[in-house]
Amino acid sequence: MSRVAGWVVLMLALAVSYHPAEAAQAKKAPAQPKTTVAVLRPEGRQADALRKVLAAELGKKGRGRVVLPAKKVDAQVKLLRGGPKTEEQRQALAKKLGADILILSSVKGTKRWDVQVRAYSGQDGSLIAEEAWDVRTNRAFPDVRRELEPKLGAALKEGPPQSLPPTAVTPPTPVVSEPEVAPAAPIAEAPRQAVVKPPPPTVTKKEEPPAQPEPKAAGPRDLDGPTLEALLSGQGLFRRFNFSGSNASQLPDYSLNSAAAASLAVSYFPLSHFTDGMVHNLGLVARGSRSFGLSTRLPDGSSHPTTAQLIEGGLRFRLPLRWLELSVGALYGTHSFAVELPPESTFALPDVDYRFAHVELGLRKALNERWAIAARVGYQHVLSGGELSSDDYLPELSGSGIDGELAVEFALTRVLGLRVGGEVRSYSFTAGAAEGTPVFAGGAKDLYFSGQLGLYVRL
């Protein structure tokens, strides 16, 4: 009987020691919510390469973060004028994106790259951490890739507030009553000295360094390029016109030693508002110049008003490369030069009005954050020459032209800058008459040169 009672007591002990709540608690805990990170497009020419490195490193598996898609981030940033400059703007942007952390960065320089990365809190837009690198020119950014997590990882671990899983309630263990024991007689103890607790240590709150203001210095154009470019400049104009052929020495030449003109050139890329693909680099271009206060003095001493004007427009496609930007253009234009001679004048100088199809190749290279050089070369197929192609001068005119431009740019701000340079245009024509046919002249040459100083805007 005693053996049976022993088995019963053992079974009761096992039943009491079994805690189903603790067994459930041993199951796998639910996954903790991840920190959502928004990597904004960096500033600088190597923006796309740096962004890929930051997104790849911050979103690596096992680091408890989720990096938002770039297109989603860019779509919300475009709605902010000037980008998230203030804490309120950053807080509003993070709320729309559902981001806990905003990453802003920049890459500048030519021989070496100055990389800056800033992390801002999505709750209040304040600066959490900031790091800078002075690295060699490498689109893989190995130094940043290697040191990003050790330098910024601790600051980014403070993600969204996480709620702990509910604690399982363990049923109370039944208590087996024991026979009461008579209390022992009290034993006299020596009085103890009062324990004086030391005052709690004073915790000094570490102040965060103030956020540095956004750089205002101008930087070179990034790989996507601006949406709008405009150049307004003043010009000094020169011209040389002369006939060629057997009787060219008997015909008058024309020389313009100096004249004032104004010019405006505009390039606009409307597709950049709607797409990030290659077609967003296709845009419209228009250029024009006109002289003012110009007059021509003839050999007899008389002076007559004169007009010089150039207008052309068409399409332009730019190709951003790693170290420079190439562009090709296809345009149609007119170039005229007219002297208002009286009807009784015998001076044999034709007015010209060239209509041409123009193809050109251009490039622009940034030397550093402020200085850049630009060049352009083109070919014109002349379709007509105005009075020059009439029966009185060169009736079967055929001709072509070439042009070239070289300029230096200096950035005043990120938007405005100065441009100084020179442009040359040369036209060559032949009469194209049958052999033995009397002609006014065998051909003609028309040369223009202009120096310019202007102010450009890039948006």
Side-chain angles (χ1 to χ4, degrees):
M1 182 69 179
S2 61
R3 179 175 298 180
V4 173
W7 280 106
V8 171
V9 172
L10 179 61
M11 296 298 294
L12 290 175
L14 291 175
V16 170
S17 62
Y18 177 69
H19 301 290
E22 293 180 1
Q25 208 172 27
K27 294 182 179 180
K28 184 178 179 181
Q32 299 295 332
K34 295 185 178 182
T35 302
T36 305
V37 180
V39 181
L40 278 67
R41 193 179 193 283
E43 298 179 359
R45 291 172 56 86
Q46 304 300 328
D48 293 336
L50 177 59
R51 190 180 197 176
K52 290 180 181 178
V53 170
L54 296 178
E57 287 301 310
L58 295 174
K60 273 189 176 179
K61 187 176 180 181
R63 291 182 175 174
R65 306 189 195 99
V66 175
V67 178
L68 295 175
K71 289 187 177 180
K72 178 180 179 181
V73 176
D74 293 343
Q76 293 296 333
V77 172
K78 285 184 178 180
L79 301 179
L80 297 176
R81 291 189 176 181
K85 301 290 186 181
T86 64
E87 292 184 355
E88 291 77 10
Q89 291 176 333
R90 290 190 286 266
Q91 184 179 9
L93 177 61
K95 184 177 180 181
K96 291 182 179 180
L97 293 171
D100 305 308
I101 302 294
L102 297 180
I103 301 296
L104 278 72
S105 57
S106 64
V107 52
K108 299 179 180 179
T110 53
K111 295 183 179 179
R112 291 185 67 86
W113 289 343
D114 179 18
V115 180
Q116 293 186 355
V117 179
R118 302 183 182 91
Y120 293 92
S121 170
Q123 296 182 358
D124 55 8
S126 61
L127 181 67
I128 297 176
E130 179 182 14
E131 291 295 337
W133 288 267
D134 182 17
V135 298
R136 294 173 297 175
T137 54
N138 189 335
R139 290 174 61 86
F141 294 95
D143 297 338
V144 179
R145 188 187 298 271
R146 182 176 60 255
E147 301 174 5
L148 182 64
E149 186 66 21
K151 289 186 176 182
L152 292 181
L156 301 183
K157 286 182 180 178
E158 300 180 1
Q162 303 175 359
S163 57
L164 296 176
T167 305
V169 180
T170 306
T173 305
V175 181
V176 181
S177 59
E178 297 180 357
E180 296 183 357
V181 180
I187 301 174
E189 295 182 359
R192 297 179 180 179
Q193 295 181 355
V195 179
V196 180
K197 295 182 179 180
T202 304
V203 180
T204 58
K205 186 177 180 181
K206 184 178 179 181
E207 297 183 357
E208 296 181 353
Q212 298 181 358
E214 297 293 333
K216 297 182 180 180
R221 182 165 53 197
D222 55 32
L223 286 178
D224 289 339
T227 303
L228 176 67
E229 300 178 63
L231 172 65
L232 178 63
S233 60
Q235 293 182 323
L237 181 64
F238 306 85
R239 185 197 186 200
R240 296 291 185 270
F241 177 87
N242 62 280
F243 290 100
S244 61
S246 58
N247 56 344
S249 59
Q250 303 175 5
L251 301 175
D253 296 335
Y254 184 89
S255 295
L256 177 64
N257 294 324
S258 63
S263 66
L264 176 65
V266 178
S267 296
Y268 179 53
F269 299 86
L271 297 180
S272 60
H273 294 293
F274 309 104
T275 178
D276 293 332
M278 183 63 71
V279 295
H280 85 284
N281 288 315
L282 179 63
L284 306 174
V285 59
R287 290 192 289 264
S289 65
R290 185 180 176 88
S291 63
F292 52 90
L294 177 59
S295 62
T296 297
R297 183 178 299 274
L298 299 183
D300 59 4
S302 60
S303 183
H304 304 278
T306 304
T307 302
Q309 180 174 280
L310 170 67
I311 299 176
E312 58 183 343
L315 299 177
R316 175 189 172 196
F317 181 80
R318 62 188 178 191
L319 180 62
L321 300 178
R322 181 176 181 182
W323 298 111
L324 52 83
E325 178 184 283
L326 295 177
S327 64
V328 293
L331 306 92
Y332 175 82
T334 67
H335 192 181
S336 61
F337 195 98
V339 182
E340 298 180 10
L341 295 176
E344 64 275 9
S345 176
T346 59
F347 190 70
L349 178 66
D351 295 337
V352 298
D353 187 9
Y354 306 132
R355 306 296 174 98
F356 55 84
H358 186 190
V359 293
E360 64 180 21
L361 173 67
L363 65 86
R364 182 179 182 274
K365 177 176 175 58
L367 302 178
N368 53 39
E369 294 184 5
R370 290 192 177 272
W371 292 96
I373 58 173
R376 176 172 55 86
V377 62
Y379 170 80
Q380 296 93 25
H381 177 69
V382 179
L383 305 175
S384 65
E387 189 179 359
L388 181 62
S389 58
S390 65
D391 294 338
D392 296 334
Y393 295 96
L394 304 176
E396 299 294 333
L397 176 141
S398 63
S400 61
I402 58 173
D403 72 301
E405 180 185 7
L406 180 64
V408 177
E409 298 178 354
F410 177 76
L412 300 175
T413 68
R414 296 177 60 182
V415 176
L416 299 176
L418 297 176
R419 181 184 175 106
V420 58
E423 179 182 5
V424 60
R425 286 175 179 259
S426 178
Y427 301 94
S428 298
F429 304 97
T430 58
E435 186 176 354
T437 303
V439 295
F440 179 82
K445 292 185 179 180
D446 201 356
L447 176 65
Y448 297 84
F449 175 79
S450 63
Q452 64 177 4
L453 174 62
L455 180 70
Y456 70 78
V457 177
R458 289 192 175 94
L459 301 173

